[in-house]
Amino acid sequence: MNQRSSRLFIAFLVLPAFLILLAVVFYPFVYNVVISFSNMNLRHIKDWAIIGPHQYVKVFFEPTQPNFYAVFLKTIIWTVVNLLFHVVLGVFLALLLNQKEVRGKPLFRTLLILPWAIPQYIVALTWRGMFNYEYGSINLIITKYLSLPAVEWLKSPTEAFLACILTNIWLGFPFMMVIALGALQSIPYELYEAADIDGASWWHKLTRITIPLIRPVMVPAITLGTVWTFNNLNIVWLVSNGGEPSDQTHILVSFVYKAAFNLYRYGYAAALSMVIFVILLLFSLYFMKRTRATEAAYQA
Amino acid sequence: MSTKRILRQLLTYLFLLVFTAIAVYPILQVVTISLRPADRLLSTSLEIIPANATLDNYVGLFEDRPFLVWMWNSVFVSVVVTLTGVVLASTTGYAFSRFDFIGRKIGLLSLLTTQMFPATMLLLPLYIVLIRLGLINTYMGVIVIYAATALPFTIWTMKGYYDTIPYSLEEAARIDGCNQFQAFYKVILPLAAPALVITALFSFMTAWSEYLVAAQVLQDSKLWTLPLGLKSFEANMSTEWGLYGASSIIVTVPVVVLFLALSRYLVSGLTLGSVKG
Amino acid sequence: MRPYHAHRNRSVWLASMILSSWVFSGCQQSQDPNRIIIWHQMRVDERLVLADQLNQFMELHPGVTVEEIYKETEELRSGFIIAAIAGQGPDLVYGPSDQVGPFEVMEIIDPLETLFERDFLESFTPEALTYYKGHLYQIADKLGNHLTLIYNRHLLQEPPRTNLELMETGIGLTRDLDGDGKTDQYALTWNYTEPFFFIPFMTGYGGWVMDEEGAPTLNSPGTVNGLKFIQKLRDSLRIIPGEADYNIADILFKDGRSAMIINGDWSWAGYEKAGIDFGVAPLPQIRETGLWCAPMVSPKGYSLNANVPGEKRALVIELLRFLMRPDVQLQTARELWTMPTRRDAIESDFVQTNEILKNSAIQIRRGRTMPVVPELRAIWDAMRPAYQAVLGGASTPEEAARDMQELALRKIKEMNE
């Protein structure tokens, strides 16, 4: 195929996707950047004006309660812990399900994706109910079967945060499991056979064969999973009922939502969102560089 | 069978059972909610089948609400988004995997950046764009946005999967007389079936369960998708939990059915080993 | 050449997609002069009554269609703002009176006083007409949204009239029925972690959220003593559960595990559906101050979207006149126990003699009108953290009152910059 037609071919492949994205994402993005330098709020909703980096100064230095850095730290913890468990559990379950000798795999697979399949709103509130001190199933199990004292989940900041994390882990591992299952299919069985012949241990097989070979498919999921988890407003909001207790259970996005949208501070919200965006961008660039995720196949 | 193998099997089943139980328990709670009369989200008793269990909520869903309309709308939108997503992601991902062209790296990165914004930020400008393009209150509006939302992940996943398929296979096919496109279509694509399944599932889920954008675009209640319908059961303090529970269970079914139908190809065992040798 | 084959396939595909979605797509938002669209946040039973009333209207006016679309309260607010700012949105928006403030500031609703005659407006009870900055912005068909004391007649025959009675009878009503050391029945439960549900006790001890200018007045003995009272109920007398949000309180009452609940007029129908033999009573009086616990009372009504074209307004006003007819309001009152707003309807036999409505009317009289200024939102957001800190033991009532006030002032400043 000559150069010209291969270029055309590429264009046909890539162009439609980009045109759509251009209209639907980039314009709002630019709009957001502009608003973040403006004073758009309740009093200036139609006649807003550019006022410079004032909103950004507020984001970083305004003495909010809790302050930006505490929430930022919480968001990092939220993201890292969630992703860690999502990936580890997902890969672990995929490995279990990928074994030839296991019976009833379709049934297990189907039941295990239910957390992904069910609408989040009601199940998040069900989890909130399970964390209730007096009537929730979790405390009932803890006190009856583990003989430990009941935990006041939703009343104290640390426990409430933990409750949100547990709920999100439950919601997120099926997705990683499906990705991992798919990724495992690309590994030729002969590699494992050869390793067995060489007397390799399961750890060796895992770290030398499995993990490197599922990486190209897991990396997009992990990168985007990180981004999505970082920005996942719903679960934290629902399980903690909007940041309770006392606005302590927040990650950056729920913080944006509350501090800004409740009080119509659109300029401030835009600036805070830009900050979130830059944080995520820097992370992704770094992560992709480390995993060399943008290279094409024939370069590797 | 060696003891090691027996032990491994037992442990496998044990873990699978425990995790399945954990996965399923909250779902059962939702089933319980759907069977309870008088809109109770919670209960002071732990029974799975509640006292006074009733199917009224399920009946009411179809009799008193236009549930079937919502279902049809969601199915239509989700199927179109899924098909579009699979076509676009499989081809675009291929381009990113096989060719090096100007702007490739930037392209991939910018795809990623579109995911980084909290959706709530984009609502007002998005609404304005959609009005200008005449897409408010149309299926096209949501389809376009969902396709755009699902593409970054699916393109990148397809690319990642293609990366694990050696280029030598296409070369062999070309030697046999195929051109680039045929090599892609006949040799590579079937091998990438697991990734296609992921793409299909993800695109479907994106369209099936998305609320925010649909709420902005689909104002006419005849066009409502399931998430909008479900939201109409919500009220600040008077949520109709019975209907909400019943509809949540029903809404889960097509996803499960889709997964069942596709999971065969997810674990297809059409591994490279069989082609290489 | 082969790539064109791919190209052709794809464009056929896209074309059919576009075509099919256009074929199935619905019509654009209301530019049709004979089609009125209402956005509201009415719960299900209210919606059904409204749908019926709209049908009646459409029968009287053939050729006109009126459509009502439900949106959850917060969605309604932000959705209306976005749509109206972009020049679109429904013709009428229905909700509680506190949406008036922000909508007016954003200039997305228009004044109504010029569109109706004086006599018509005077036939309403004054609380139903929400004026802001000198103009009428909302006409209400229901008055209330107020908290009341609801009791389970099976467990309690006479509701307490004062806070002392509440505490006394409360102790007897809180029981451990199966002897396992855990309380199985509480005297009272309610969503006490939410500021709106704290207001009656704040007012009972003499406090209020703001002064006439809209400045917060949260650092007051009313706040402090109200907080102390709730702490007493929970920690020393233990007649309310240790942890209760809206859903928990609701379920305790529905399951018969709580003799009383403090909840609003929106919840009565749900308790009837659950089969509870319930009674509605006004909230008690605080002995120490002699004041009645006064919940916030708010009208719920219609505002006019500023984007509605002039020619259409006559029709919209016609619709409002219909919905405000005394007989139409009475239909709603009969089905839902709502308090009407036309004087004729209020003075009707039904409203004057119905058990629940009588008590509701007493409570409304003792209540205080909810402010409509945008600052109220900032005040809720400021109250919540400090209030919950006290309940969580991290702060004392005095500290909390001070913190609330400070935070409220700050948030108001930020909102108005």
Side-chain angles (χ1 to χ4, degrees):
Chain A
M1 197 144 96
N2 61 41
Q3 275 292 62
R4 185 146 184 275
S5 50
S6 66
R7 288 252 176 80
L8 272 174
F9 184 55
I10 295 168
F12 282 135
L13 293 178
V14 169
L15 211 52
F18 272 104
L19 283 178
I20 294 176
L21 282 172
L22 195 74
V24 154
V25 180
F26 293 146
Y27 168 71
F29 177 80
V30 167
Y31 185 91
N32 213 47
V33 173
V34 170
I35 295 291
S36 70
F37 287 102
S38 79
N39 61 355
M40 189 184 203
N41 69 358
L42 180 66
R43 306 280 162 190
H44 303 282
I45 194 131
K46 287 180 181 166
D47 57 334
W48 52 269
I50 307 287
I51 55 170
H54 194 51
Q55 304 285 14
Y56 289 94
V57 170
K58 271 201 247 171
V59 166
F60 290 113
F61 298 112
E62 190 178 70
T64 52
Q65 211 169 24
N67 73 53
F68 171 77
Y69 302 97
V71 181
F72 182 34
L73 184 63
K74 268 206 156 120
T75 314
I76 295 184
I77 297 176
W78 160 263
T79 310
V80 168
V81 172
N82 267 303
L83 250 301
L84 192 66
F85 279 94
H86 286 167
V87 174
V88 168
L89 281 178
V91 172
F92 175 61
L93 287 169
L95 285 171
L96 286 180
L97 285 174
N98 205 35
Q99 294 172 83
K100 288 213 176 109
E101 314 86 44
V102 174
R103 300 277 193 78
K105 278 188 291 220
L107 182 64
F108 280 120
R109 274 201 304 260
T110 312
L111 291 176
L112 283 169
I113 61 137
L114 284 177
W116 189 31
I118 193 160
Q120 276 189 8
Y121 180 75
I122 197 169
V123 93
L125 288 178
T126 305
W127 270 94
R128 180 180 161 78
M130 292 195 330
F131 282 114
N132 181 265
Y133 179 69
E134 267 183 270
Y135 304 105
S137 348
I138 300 204
N139 271 350
L140 278 160
I141 295 179
I142 291 183
T143 48
K144 266 206 186 138
Y145 299 113
L146 300 178
S147 310
L148 292 171
V151 179
E152 283 197 328
W153 291 102
L154 300 172
K155 253 207 198 149
S156 11
T158 328
E159 283 84 344
F161 194 49
L162 190 57
C164 296
I165 291 180
L166 286 172
T167 307
N168 201 43
I169 291 177
W170 181 86
L171 279 166
F173 79 81
F175 175 70
M176 287 297 174
M177 184 185 83
V178 170
I179 308 284
L181 266 176
L184 285 172
Q185 306 314 308
S186 68
I187 305 178
Y189 197 62
E190 289 79 24
L191 287 177
Y192 290 118
E193 283 177 344
D196 276 336
I197 292 173
D198 288 346
S201 68
W202 66 268
W203 175 255
H204 193 263
K205 282 191 278 189
L206 181 71
T207 52
R208 295 293 170 85
I209 302 179
T210 310
I211 291 187
L213 289 180
I214 61 172
R215 216 166 68 161
V217 181
M218 293 301 292
V219 162
I222 294 177
T223 319
L224 282 170
T226 308
V227 172
W228 294 328
T229 305
F230 198 88
N231 275 341
N232 189 348
L233 161 61
N234 274 334
I235 303 307
V236 173
W237 192 267
L238 290 173
V239 177
S240 72
N241 200 27
E244 287 173 15
S246 305
D247 269 344
Q248 302 278 19
T249 313
H250 271 302
I251 56 174
L252 280 174
V253 270
S254 55
F255 188 59
V256 175
Y257 192 80
K258 198 166 191 177
F261 281 98
N262 261 7
L263 298 179
Y264 313 101
R265 299 170 64 195
Y266 299 112
Y268 177 76
L272 192 39
S273 302
M274 288 304 300
V275 170
I276 294 176
F277 173 75
V278 168
I279 293 172
L280 288 172
L281 186 64
L282 291 175
F283 157 75
S284 309
L285 286 175
Y286 171 71
F287 190 70
M288 292 202 334
K289 193 147 194 211
R290 279 295 297 270
T291 57
R292 290 179 287 132
T294 54
E295 289 163 8
Y298 70 96
Q299 279 178 346
Chain B
M1 270 210 288
S2 67
T3 28
K4 201 166 150 200
R5 272 187 83 187
I6 297 176
L7 191 63
R8 199 169 78 156
Q9 279 224 343
L10 271 173
L11 277 178
T12 302
Y13 281 115
L14 181 67
F15 275 118
L16 283 175
L17 283 168
V18 167
F19 278 102
T20 311
I22 295 178
V24 166
Y25 182 68
I27 313 281
L28 286 178
Q29 303 258 47
V30 178
V31 174
T32 312
I33 295 173
S34 71
L35 293 174
R36 274 202 276 259
D39 295 323
R40 296 178 156 109
L41 172 67
L42 306 167
S43 173
T44 47
S45 82
L46 279 182
E47 303 160 336
I48 300 284
I49 307 285
N52 306 332
T54 166
L55 287 177
D56 282 349
N57 293 315
Y58 288 94
V59 173
L61 208 52
F62 293 97
E63 276 186 6
D64 303 327
R65 305 299 155 97
F67 192 75
L68 285 173
V69 173
W70 302 334
M71 180 75 105
W72 161 250
N73 291 332
S74 269
V75 168
F76 178 69
V77 168
S78 304
V79 166
V80 174
V81 168
T82 307
L83 292 174
T84 319
V86 167
V87 168
L88 287 180
S90 59
T91 51
T92 313
Y94 185 70
F96 275 112
S97 173
R98 292 318 194 220
F99 302 118
D100 196 15
F101 47 91
I102 307 170
R104 191 182 70 97
K105 208 158 188 165
I106 304 289
L108 209 51
L109 275 176
S110 57
L111 274 183
L112 178 56
T113 59
T114 60
Q115 299 290 291
M116 293 181 191
F117 260 107
T120 42
M121 285 315 308
L122 306 176
L123 284 180
L124 176 53
L126 190 62
Y127 189 73
I128 296 177
V129 166
L130 291 171
I131 292 184
R132 298 268 180 276
L133 293 176
L135 291 176
I136 290 287
N137 254 347
T138 61
Y139 287 131
M140 186 64 154
V142 274
I143 289 174
V144 160
I145 297 177
Y146 290 157
T149 315
L151 279 175
F153 173 70
T154 51
I155 291 177
W156 206 2
T157 303
M158 292 304 305
K159 172 203 173 284
Y161 206 86
Y162 289 132
D163 287 349
T164 67
I165 304 176
Y167 195 65
S168 51
L169 287 174
E170 277 125 299
E171 285 175 337
R174 298 278 296 283
I175 291 172
D176 282 349
C178 299
N179 63 21
Q180 186 87 35
F181 183 71
Q182 280 169 325
F184 165 66
Y185 189 70
K186 296 213 168 121
V187 178
I188 305 299
L189 207 52
L191 284 175
L196 285 175
V197 169
I198 294 176
T199 299
L201 275 175
F202 184 76
S203 308
F204 186 83
M205 283 300 286
T206 302
W208 188 254
S209 51
E210 200 280 337
Y211 172 74
L212 271 178
V213 170
Q216 283 306 118
V217 176
L218 300 174
Q219 303 287 350
D220 195 339
S221 53
K222 288 190 281 289
L223 296 176
W224 275 7
T225 53
L226 283 168
L228 295 182
L230 261 68
K231 186 83 174 180
S232 74
F233 299 142
E234 262 180 63
N236 198 8
M237 290 181 277
S238 317
T239 302
E240 302 173 84
W241 292 114
L243 285 175
Y244 208 109
S247 51
S248 296
I249 298 296
I250 297 185
V251 158
T252 311
V253 170
V255 179
V256 171
V257 166
L258 182 69
F259 180 71
L260 272 172
L262 292 179
S263 62
R264 231 179 330 143
Y265 302 102
L266 181 68
V267 293
S268 59
L270 233 152
T271 60
L272 294 176
S274 48
V275 182
K276 264 170 92 174
Chain C
M1 250 176 97
R2 278 295 168 174
Y4 294 104
H5 180 44
H7 164 52
R8 215 184 326 138
N9 274 347
R10 174 110 37 73
S11 37
V12 166
W13 172 248
L14 273 173
S16 51
M17 192 175 88
I18 294 171
L19 211 61
S20 53
S21 55
W22 280 125
V23 164
F24 284 113
S25 67
C27 36
Q28 275 287 1
Q29 194 67 321
S30 180
Q31 300 310 322
D32 177 355
N34 285 321
R35 187 157 171 252
I36 302 182
I37 299 195
I38 305 177
W39 285 7
H40 62 79
Q41 36 82 281
M42 296 188 194
R43 61 181 200 274
V44 184
D45 36 4
E46 288 178 300
R47 272 180 250 166
L48 289 173
V49 175
L50 177 67
D52 182 57
Q53 291 167 345
L54 292 178
N55 278 332
Q56 292 174 37
F57 180 79
M58 289 193 273
E59 272 169 37
L60 292 174
H61 294 79
V64 175
T65 39
V66 185
E67 219 175 285
E68 47 94 5
I69 298 183
Y70 165 77
K71 285 184 188 285
E72 189 263 323
T73 315
E74 284 309 310
E75 289 283 312
L76 180 65
R77 195 175 50 95
S78 49
F80 180 72
I81 291 175
I82 291 181
I85 298 226
Q88 308 260 317
D91 303 291
L92 289 172
V93 60
Y94 180 91
S97 57
D98 63 349
Q99 19 177 68
V100 164
F103 289 170
E104 189 277 338
V105 174
M106 296 187 194
E107 294 173 10
I108 50 183
I109 52 178
D110 270 352
L112 297 167
E113 70 272 11
T114 50
L115 301 170
F116 294 97
E117 311 81 42
R118 270 271 299 275
D119 303 341
F120 181 72
L121 293 178
E122 276 171 15
S123 68
F124 283 84
T125 174
E127 299 93 15
L129 303 174
T130 305
Y131 283 86
Y132 185 57
K133 295 189 185 160
H135 292 286
L136 175 66
Y137 281 107
Q138 188 190 64
I139 293 192
D141 64 342
K142 304 187 184 91
L143 186 61
N145 220 44
H146 53 297
L147 294 173
T148 51
L149 185 64
I150 307 169
Y151 59 101
N152 187 338
R153 277 204 255 255
H154 197 57
L155 299 173
L156 173 67
Q157 278 68 50
E158 267 304 312
R161 302 195 68 226
T162 69
N163 59 331
L164 297 177
E165 268 180 51
L166 173 63
M167 291 193 282
E168 261 175 56
T169 49
I171 297 177
L173 286 169
T174 307
R175 301 193 191 118
D176 174 8
L177 295 167
D178 53 7
D180 63 350
K182 281 175 52 176
T183 313
D184 298 303
Q185 180 181 298
Y186 283 100
L188 170 67
T189 178
W190 87 103
N191 183 17
Y192 62 81
T193 48
E194 179 59 32
F196 180 80
F197 289 75
F198 168 63
I199 294 291
F201 296 99
M202 179 202 252
T203 50
Y205 281 94
W208 184 236
V209 286
M210 58 171 73
D211 59 21
E212 298 87 44
E213 275 88 51
T217 54
L218 297 170
N219 189 6
S220 68
T223 310
V224 174
N225 292 324
L227 279 169
K228 286 190 175 157
F229 180 67
I230 295 185
Q231 277 182 319
K232 188 164 186 191
L233 290 179
R234 185 188 65 172
D235 300 329
S236 51
L237 296 177
R238 297 181 190 271
I239 57 177
I240 65 178
E243 212 178 87
D245 63 7
Y246 187 83
N247 288 314
I248 295 278
D250 193 52
I251 191 61
L252 283 174
F253 190 71
K254 274 182 180 161
D255 275 355
R257 298 254 201 151
S258 177
M260 296 180 274
I261 185 172
I262 296 179
N263 211 342
D265 57 356
W266 59 82
S267 67
W268 300 332
Y271 297 134
E272 195 195 22
K273 197 168 159 199
I276 303 284
D277 180 15
F278 71 97
V280 172
L283 292 165
Q285 181 192 40
I286 303 292
R287 259 346 201 126
E288 294 87 321
T289 60
L291 297 170
W292 290 96
C293 284
M296 283 199 181
V297 177
S298 147
K300 288 209 295 183
Y302 296 91
S303 297
L304 180 68
N305 187 342
N307 296 317
V308 176
E311 322 81 66
K312 203 173 178 186
R313 295 196 177 199
L315 185 59
V316 174
I317 298 300
E318 201 46 46
L319 175 63
L320 280 180
R321 265 191 228 279
F322 176 79
L323 289 170
M324 298 296 161
R325 270 175 28 183
D327 55 324
V328 175
Q329 288 197 355
L330 276 175
Q331 175 192 4
T332 316
R334 266 184 240 278
E335 309 246 5
L336 306 170
W337 296 307
T338 50
M339 184 62 62
T341 54
R342 297 293 292 274
R343 288 191 218 262
D344 285 342
I346 296 176
E347 282 152 23
S348 71
D349 276 336
F350 175 71
V351 174
Q352 296 291 325
T353 55
N354 178 278
E355 215 22 64
I356 291 184
L357 279 175
K358 270 201 308 205
N359 283 300
S360 180
I362 297 175
Q363 184 66 86
I364 291 178
R365 257 201 316 277
R366 293 187 188 148
R368 284 188 74 157
T369 312
M370 183 160 75
V372 301
V373 295
E375 282 73 10
L376 181 61
R377 233 187 149 72
I379 290 181
W380 290 132
D381 279 355
M383 283 180 77
R384 225 173 267 118
Y387 179 61
Q388 286 168 0
V390 172
L391 294 176
S395 171
T396 67
E398 291 83 357
E399 283 168 4
R402 258 199 324 266
D403 290 338
M404 277 186 210
Q405 177 70 9
E406 252 182 68
L407 190 56
L409 286 169
R410 197 158 38 154
K411 283 195 188 267
I412 290 179
K413 190 164 85 79
E414 283 162 10
M415 192 175 77
N416 284 328
E417 266 171 348

